[in-house]
Amino acid sequence: MIYRGICWKFFPKHGNIVINSGVFCKKRSVSSTVATVPNWLHGCWIRKSIEYSDGSQDTESKVVWIQTDSYYADMRYDPDVRKWCDENFTRDKINLTHKQLICLGDTIADAGLCLQTGLEPVADARLGESTLPTTQVEWSTLWNYQTRRIFSELGNLTVGLSHNVVIENAPSGAYREIWERIEDSKGSVLTLLLRNEYCSSTGIKRDRGGCLVITGNHGIMALDRLNALPSNHTFNNLSELLTNYKDNNLDYLPFLDCEYSYGFRESTADSKQLWLIDEDILENERPFKIKWSTDPYLEGSYVEWLCSSSWDIDTVNDVAMQRVYKVGGQYVDRQWEIYSLVRTKRKEEF
């Protein structure tokens, strides 16, 4: 299961760039403040364990969480379910079996806005009785793969003995999670917010929510449903809804017309500076390999989230236009808002 939850002509010398603590930070023209969380939280985090108040633990579930300066996306999956998917899925979505529907419907993923709400020192015996700074963070879900309602989640985050380790405690005491940051997720941070898309096969332009969040060599693409889930449903999860629709010969495919995908760029010898922008040049245009997705058919494939051939950038209006080609020569044009860009500096710039 999955939880929590460009291809472009890049920024020709971005208009509003400021130098701050070894980072170039793009400021939006409509606001003097972009970041809502501290920069030490930026990155791609893998959950190492979760401990519940009853003493039970989970160290097996695979969880990934990507945090940029204001937005987040995260996913979790059950290794046994994913193994079954790998062995049994085909591309024929129209004739999915009941078990395939359950596998897809048990997937969990979400994305949204992240806010820091407070900062105070907290003593923790499990950290050697030391008093370490703790920040309370609120994750507000905007896009959700599951049937649960949109909600906000609070967590008290403490930096571990290593800056690549964060301990998250629920204010209620319900759980305690340990997260570890992937080293090559440090560096440039990008947040794009989807506004609308045009489909060449239908000739229709439609509003659509979603985001693309990238930190270093790791990213998550979240595309919301074009067809909303029934507002008055009583299903506990998506698998119940899909199964019910299938059993009653109703079309369930519109509810799968969305995407939450986590991908990474395979490191190379010259990839320490991950993606640096200088004039019109985007360096190291390596594709992202999809590792986990709400669409199992995408896993193992390569996508060009940062490739100059498919993007046009309007830096005056903070707009990025992306063209995605489909089978048969059809395409989708997506309009993204450039919410923020924070990039690491070249060595010679320090």
Side-chain angles (χ1 to χ4, degrees):
M1 286 191 295
I2 305 177
Y3 173 69
R4 224 203 201 323
I6 264 184
C7 312
W8 47 34
K9 298 171 187 171
F10 216 92
F11 305 88
K13 212 160 190 178
H14 237 307
N16 300 322
I17 300 287
V18 296
I19 297 177
N20 181 19
S21 301
V23 170
F24 276 121
C25 178
K26 175 184 176 291
K27 284 188 175 181
R28 284 167 50 81
S29 57
V30 297
S31 172
S32 60
T33 302
V34 173
T36 59
V37 297
N39 58 14
W40 54 260
L41 198 54
H42 298 174
C44 179
W45 301 85
I46 300 296
R47 195 180 74 186
K48 307 304 290 184
S49 67
I50 181 170
E51 178 183 346
Y52 298 99
S53 56
D54 63 4
S56 61
Q57 289 187 342
D58 178 5
T59 59
E60 299 299 321
S61 294
K62 305 299 182 183
V63 187
V64 61
W65 156 38
I66 287 186
Q67 182 65 60
T68 66
D69 53 347
S70 291
Y71 280 79
Y72 82 94
D74 59 16
M75 309 179 70
R76 176 173 62 202
Y77 82 97
D78 183 321
D80 293 334
V81 172
R82 189 55 58 190
K83 182 176 184 296
W84 189 92
C85 289
D86 293 342
E87 295 172 350
N88 294 278
F89 265 89
T90 66
R91 290 189 172 274
D92 184 11
K93 280 190 178 182
I94 297 177
N95 297 309
L96 291 176
T97 67
H98 181 253
K99 189 168 184 178
Q100 287 172 329
L101 287 175
I102 291 176
C103 285
L104 286 178
D106 280 348
T107 298
I108 307 174
D110 54 41
L113 182 64
C114 187
L115 302 172
Q116 176 182 322
T117 63
L119 184 66
E120 59 180 334
V122 174
D124 193 323
R126 285 167 291 189
L127 293 176
E129 296 289 354
S130 60
T131 300
L132 298 174
T134 289
T135 183
Q136 187 171 88
V137 174
E138 177 180 2
W139 294 276
S140 296
T141 302
L142 298 178
W143 307 288
N144 193 350
Y145 182 72
Q146 268 299 335
T147 57
R148 56 185 177 165
R149 306 305 181 194
I150 300 302
F151 69 100
S152 293
E153 176 187 3
L154 289 175
N156 295 327
L157 302 184
T158 304
V159 179
L161 300 180
S162 163
H163 286 291
N164 283 332
V165 173
V166 161
I167 296 90
E168 176 185 345
N169 289 283
S172 65
Y175 67 84
R176 170 187 173 87
E177 292 177 301
I178 297 179
W179 299 88
E180 184 175 338
R181 178 165 45 201
I182 300 176
E183 184 65 30
D184 70 347
S185 70
K186 294 179 180 179
S188 303
V189 173
L190 174 71
T191 304
L192 299 182
L193 304 180
L194 183 60
R195 294 311 182 203
N196 59 64
E197 65 179 25
Y198 167 83
C199 181
S200 66
S201 62
T202 63
I204 297 175
K205 184 177 181 179
R206 54 210 178 185
D207 293 337
R208 188 173 197 175
C211 64
L212 175 60
V213 290
I214 293 178
T215 56
N217 275 339
H218 299 260
I220 289 181
M221 170 80 79
L223 300 176
D224 195 20
R225 289 180 176 84
L226 289 168
N227 297 274
L229 297 175
S231 59
N232 59 346
H233 76 78
T234 57
F235 302 105
N236 293 317
N237 52 53
L238 187 59
S239 62
E240 287 187 10
L241 184 151
L242 296 175
T243 300
N244 178 274
Y245 270 60
K246 183 179 179 63
D247 291 345
N248 289 281
N249 296 315
L250 300 173
D251 185 10
Y252 55 80
L253 291 180
F255 303 133
L256 296 175
D257 187 14
C258 58
E259 178 188 346
Y260 293 80
S261 294
Y262 160 60
F264 65 96
R265 286 192 293 185
E266 296 165 329
S267 298
T268 61
D270 63 349
S271 64
K272 289 184 178 180
Q273 297 292 343
L274 302 175
W275 41 279
L276 300 177
I277 301 132
D278 182 20
E279 300 294 329
D280 292 328
I281 300 173
L282 177 63
E283 296 184 348
N284 295 327
E285 292 190 22
R286 302 188 315 283
F288 285 73
K289 183 178 182 179
I290 300 299
K291 185 174 184 179
W292 304 332
S293 179
T294 55
D295 186 344
Y297 315 107
L298 293 177
E299 293 182 359
S301 65
Y302 288 85
V303 292
E304 296 180 332
W305 285 342
L306 289 171
C307 171
S308 62
S309 61
S310 300
W311 291 76
D312 282 310
I313 304 300
D314 179 353
T315 58
V316 174
N317 297 302
D318 287 332
V319 172
M321 296 298 300
Q322 175 196 27
R323 173 161 293 187
V324 180
Y325 285 97
K326 303 293 185 178
V327 176
Q330 300 296 330
Y331 60 87
V332 174
D333 284 336
R334 293 189 177 124
Q335 179 176 316
W336 301 81
E337 174 191 348
I338 306 168
Y339 181 84
S340 64
L341 166 68
V342 180
R343 76 170 178 87
T344 55
K345 296 165 70 174
R346 298 173 184 274
K347 287 183 178 180
E348 58 267 24
E349 293 177 323
F350 286 98

